[in-house]
Amino acid sequence: MVCAVHCLLVGVALSLLSVLGLGFLGSRPAELIFFGLAITIGAFAIYAGYQHHRSTKPALLYVAGIGLVAVSHFVIGSHDHAAAQENLLTTILSVAGGLSLVMFHVVNTKLSRACHGGCHCPHHEGRDMGDGTER
């Protein structure tokens, strides 16, 4: 059922894009640009999060997610959405990659928030906090 709704929405969206003069957004070069942007933004999120919590767990989730999406879409997936729908492996890898990316954001956010105010992370121990106190 989810596949049917997804394919319907993708078909309608791509049709509307071309009517609105934005059909290029459904092209292969645009997909590569968006994928590159996702990698760049994710790398900044990993870096910023790591500066706060010093955990590599979010980075591992991110790499796994991006890797699964890349393999499902660019390696084994077809650019033809009707053909890709029939490939169960592509669907499984895409969903697993998407869930991994969601978990990356959740874990990165939780670790970063836990590190603000009262953080007892090892990298903050003995650090001057700028207000005359040390952690």
Side-chain angles (χ1 to χ4, degrees), residues 17-103:
L17 288 175
S18 61
V19 168
L20 297 173
L22 301 172
F24 68 92
L25 291 175
S27 69
R28 188 62 146 195
E31 289 177 349
L32 292 171
I33 289 169
F34 289 134
F35 195 73
L37 284 171
I39 290 172
T40 304
I41 292 168
F44 281 118
I46 289 170
Y47 177 77
Y50 186 78
Q51 295 300 311
H52 288 286
H53 52 67
R54 298 283 195 237
S55 176
T56 58
K57 290 176 187 176
L60 295 174
L61 287 167
Y62 172 77
V63 169
I66 284 290
L68 289 169
V69 170
V71 168
S72 71
H73 192 72
F74 298 113
V75 177
I76 62 172
S78 170
H79 192 62
D80 176 16
H81 291 288
Q85 178 185 1
E86 296 173 6
N87 191 341
L88 181 61
L89 180 59
T90 300
T91 302
I92 291 170
L93 291 176
S94 292
V95 170
L99 290 174
S100 182
L101 291 171
V102 168
M103 288 306 301

